[in-house]
Amino acid sequence: MKHVRVTVAPTLLLGLVLATSFAITPASAATRDEQTKACRGDALKFCSAEIPDEDKITACMKQNLSKLSPECRAMFGKQK
């Protein structure tokens, strides 16, 4: 039987991490897809060294809040 090694592309992994890293409340309108779309580029630009550690990515994004795109910054503004 041949063993197949499965690898996950860094952007897919980042998407999964971002989708779980935002503690968006039910009252907010942003979906996980919208959060990921809004912040993927910023996460890769400012926090790629922290991938895949969810806590480190979130901390890095918060440290760089003033540098984030307006769309991504808005996602953090919706946090509880």
Side-chain angles (χ1 to χ4, degrees):
M1 180 194 288
K2 185 176 180 181
H3 292 280
V4 177
R5 183 175 179 193
V6 177
T7 59
V8 179
T11 54
L12 176 60
L13 182 59
L14 175 62
L16 293 172
V17 170
L18 284 176
T20 60
S21 66
F22 294 104
I24 303 297
T25 63
S28 68
T31 66
R32 291 190 185 277
D33 287 341
E34 290 170 330
Q35 295 164 20
T36 300
K37 183 179 176 185
C39 294
R40 179 180 289 130
D42 290 324
L44 288 170
K45 182 176 181 179
F46 299 112
C47 306
S48 61
E50 311 306 337
I51 298 169
D53 189 306
E54 178 181 326
D55 293 332
K56 287 183 179 182
I57 293 170
T58 301
C60 175
M61 296 292 276
K62 288 179 180 179
Q63 278 185 316
N64 289 287
L65 194 61
S66 65
K67 299 175 189 174
L68 301 180
S69 65
E71 296 83 8
C72 184
R73 198 174 321 124
M75 296 299 143
F76 282 90
K78 293 179 182 182
Q79 287 186 324
K80 189 173 184 178

